[in-house]
Amino acid sequence: MTDVVQASATLAIAQHNFDRAAEQLELDPSTTAVLRQIKRELIVHFPVEMDDGSFHVYTGFRVQHNLARGPAKGGLRYHPAMTLADARALAMFMTWKAAVVGLPFGGAKGGVIVDPKALSITERERLTRRLTTELSLLLGPDRDIPAPDIGTGPQEMAWIMDTLSMHAGHSVPASVTGKPISIGGFEGRHSATGRGITTVAVQALRDSGIDPASATAAVQGFGQVGSTTAHLLAAAGVRVVAVSDSRGGVHSDAGLDLDALSALKEEGGSFADYVGADALTNDELLSLPIDLLVPCALEAQITAGNAAQINARVIAEGANAAVDPQGDAILADRGVLIVPDILANAGGVVVSYFEWVQDLQAFFWAPGESNARLREVMVRSYDAVRARAQSESVSMREAAYHIAVAKVAEATQVRGIYP
Ligand code: NAD
């Protein structure tokens, strides 16, 4: 049987951040014990018929961290290195993320240990439908609402929605978010995380006394989150001087032609084919002398090993746990302002909430309404975190955790979830 519980650096970061918040908030031991623990997790091993007629048994799981404030919400990741421990960490982040921006959700995450690129579309469909049936005792619009994550997208969400609808005997569009628009998906969901990051990053630049119109930025990772963020930062007047993906990046002090870079990627090309900029490694990108650094790739990119080399004045954490606790401490000493992941990348779950509400009510929003509402939520949440950081003389990460953990603790206590 596949070993799904492995050590996870991301889980260590999630627990460190929670433990510090619990201590600083002087949470009582019972509440601390409840909030630190995963509420529920389901591991499933299920067969999938491959195109050649053979069967392969896959392992998947769904983790629900805390449901005190509402149904569980979180992505479903298809990745060969996915572990239950990572899902626990990411479910915890989802709980705090929903709380810090004021959404009525608990945190969840799930995944399958699989390389989706190695599957045909029919194999992916059979895997997704079988997984949905296996997890269906946990899923539903008022219980647990999956969304896309790494390795999954609108098509997987459509199969999940259809499978759950077949079980129910009628369409249940609110059972997933990030669906295709034709079945109740939401205009703007794709760009929502990048849009939210851009909103708070621009605000953080201003708060650091930097005019966005004369600021420079580098973005690590050029996937859904990184590419949207780079384009929106440029639209806000910021000069994006470097971007990268897993194969390396490009740098030009004059600013990059992002449309050309996106077109290159869409055609299956690499940044190395881009003329008019210098090649650079991911390590070099992280240490550029710039105003804003936006890591949008992987966890633990800024650690004790490289934090002293970071030359940005503001960091907006697009990827979850991109800065680890040791990196955090070094950057705090150096006066770098970090907008933490649970705030910075919450735009995706905010717009998922809009999609869920739209489908529950069967009342469709007007075009453009979503972006304006998202902005309102992000600005309000940023201001609350910033004000708390200033009044308590703590970092924005600590302040965001104080707000989030206190809200979940209050919900847990008022419901009398433990005696
Ligand atoms: P994605 O798979 O679309 O893009 C990831 C990008 O990172 C790709 O360009 C990839 O080439 C690049 N990358 C991988 N390894 C790298 C490395 N070592 N150095 C530099 N770049 C590297 O994923 P995404 O949806 O853009 O998500 C990016 C991060 O943001 C993930 O950590 C994800 O968990 C987090 N996140 C995503 C969302 C969302 O709505 N998609 C919401 C919150 C958080």
Side-chain angles (χ1 to χ4, degrees):
M1 193 175 293
T2 316
D3 178 16
V4 292
V5 194
Q6 293 169 1
S8 157
T10 314
L11 183 57
I13 295 173
Q15 286 170 336
H16 170 94
N17 290 338
F18 169 73
D19 288 344
R20 185 175 54 185
E23 196 186 314
Q24 290 173 342
L25 289 168
E26 298 180 5
L27 273 195
D28 67 88
S30 308
T31 310
T32 302
V34 172
L35 268 54
R36 197 178 200 276
Q37 190 53 272
I38 295 299
K39 179 180 173 62
R40 192 181 278 154
E41 53 197 19
L42 178 62
I43 303 174
V44 294
H45 307 282
F46 57 101
V48 177
E49 186 178 0
M50 312 310 284
D51 290 344
D52 64 5
S54 66
F55 280 84
H56 188 95
V57 177
Y58 288 94
T59 297
F61 29 78
R62 186 75 181 167
V63 174
Q64 297 176 349
H65 167 239
N66 184 293
L67 306 180
R69 302 183 73 252
K73 187 88 192 77
L76 205 52
R77 180 174 293 189
Y78 289 177
H79 195 277
M82 183 67 184
T83 67
L84 183 63
D86 281 339
R88 289 175 181 162
L90 295 165
M92 287 180 91
F93 289 139
M94 285 302 296
T95 302
W96 313 133
K97 204 176 290 189
V100 83
V101 292
L103 303 176
F105 288 135
K109 203 76 178 190
V112 178
I113 304 169
V114 60
D115 178 3
K117 291 191 201 119
L119 300 183
S120 70
I121 186 161
T122 47
E123 289 168 341
R124 268 196 299 128
E125 176 171 1
R126 285 195 289 272
L127 178 141
T128 303
R129 289 188 183 277
R130 185 74 198 208
L131 172 76
T132 306
T133 299
E134 297 291 344
L135 297 182
S136 61
L137 68 161
L138 292 185
L139 305 181
D142 15 300
R143 289 186 290 167
D144 184 343
I145 308 115
D149 195 82
I150 294 172
T152 59
Q155 179 60 75
E156 281 73 18
M157 298 307 113
W159 290 326
I160 295 171
M161 179 268 199
D162 185 62
T163 305
L164 293 173
S165 298
M166 289 194 301
H167 290 184
H170 57 87
S171 286
V172 193
S175 54
V176 292
T177 59
K179 300 177 290 293
I181 289 173
S182 55
I183 53 170
F186 211 78
E187 203 87 56
R189 170 63 186 89
H190 187 79
S191 61
T193 305
R195 198 170 286 282
I197 293 169
T198 306
T199 302
V200 297
V202 165
Q203 200 53 44
L205 284 171
R206 288 202 184 102
D207 287 341
S208 303
I210 303 166
D211 177 4
S214 58
T216 53
V219 179
Q220 183 199 35
F222 205 69
Q224 182 180 329
V225 177
S227 64
T228 311
T229 305
H231 281 277
L232 291 171
L233 282 171
V238 175
R239 184 153 40 96
V240 179
V241 296
V243 297
S244 66
D245 64 12
S246 54
R247 290 180 284 177
V250 278
H251 171 230
S252 163
D253 278 330
L256 296 167
D257 180 345
L258 296 166
D259 289 336
L261 287 165
S262 290
L264 252 181
K265 292 283 283 185
E266 269 161 37
E267 290 157 10
S270 105
F271 289 154
D273 304 326
Y274 178 77
V275 280
D278 303 322
L280 89 175
T281 64
N282 267 295
D283 286 344
E284 288 166 344
L285 178 141
L286 293 174
S287 57
L288 285 173
I290 41 172
D291 296 308
L292 171 68
L293 175 63
V294 196
C296 297
L298 302 169
E299 299 83 22
Q301 291 300 292
I302 301 172
T303 64
N306 64 356
Q309 280 84 54
I310 303 296
N311 283 307
R313 293 171 62 189
V314 174
I315 295 177
E317 212 177 11
N320 294 311
V323 184
D324 81 357
Q326 290 73 30
D328 239 358
I330 295 167
L331 293 170
D333 283 348
R334 299 182 50 219
V336 178
L337 176 62
I338 301 178
V339 188
D341 47 9
I342 59 168
L343 171 64
N345 69 29
V349 70
V350 171
V351 174
S352 275
Y353 167 72
F354 297 160
E355 180 177 337
W356 178 70
V357 169
Q358 166 178 279
D359 292 331
L360 284 177
Q361 298 180 330
F363 182 82
F364 276 57
W365 291 35
E369 211 175 331
S370 156
N371 289 349
R373 289 271 190 105
L374 169 61
R375 189 181 159 71
E376 223 176 272
V377 174
M378 294 305 297
V379 169
R380 187 171 60 230
S381 308
Y382 175 93
D383 287 348
V385 170
R386 178 94 177 134
R388 184 128 178 182
Q390 284 174 335
S391 71
E392 293 183 357
S393 301
V394 294
S395 68
M396 284 197 65
R397 189 184 309 282
E398 289 168 288
Y401 269 83
H402 290 184
I403 291 172
V405 172
K407 280 187 190 175
V408 180
E410 188 189 334
T412 303
Q413 288 159 356
V414 80
R415 287 177 59 163
I417 285 174
Y418 59 87

